[in-house]
Amino acid sequence: MQKSNKRVIDREELQKMIAERAYCKAEKRGFVVGHEMEDWLEAESEIKNQYFYWFQDVE
């Protein structure tokens, strides 16, 4: 039987990681108003993609 390499991340941890990434994006842009949703959605996509690749089953 093969062990799974998958890791379950809790919702609170995921939200924190996304918020931190979105904050960095806003900071890099000089906190220009009007890009909050864009920053959040980009950060969410990046974090989820990272987790997809980091915790895939290794065969």
Side-chain angles (χ1 to χ4, degrees), residues 18-33 35-36 39-40 42-43:
I18 294 169
E20 288 174 356
R21 179 73 58 94
Y23 179 88
C24 289
K25 290 178 169 298
E27 181 179 43
K28 190 173 186 179
R29 200 183 46 263
F31 298 106
V32 175
V33 177
H35 297 276
E36 297 81 5
D39 291 340
W40 184 270
E42 285 180 12

Side-chain angles (χ1 to χ4, degrees), residues 1-2 4 6 12 14 17 19 22-24 26 28 33-35 40 44-45 47-51 54 56-58:
M1 187 158 145
Q2 189 176 20
S4 177
K6 289 185 179 180
E12 190 175 306
L14 179 63
M17 292 172 71
Y23 179 88
C24 289
K28 190 173 186 179
V33 177
H35 297 276
W40 184 270
E44 182 178 45
S45 177
I47 295 295
K48 286 181 177 180
N49 283 333
Q50 281 181 336
Y51 267 81
W54 288 345
Q56 289 187 57
D57 280 337
V58 178

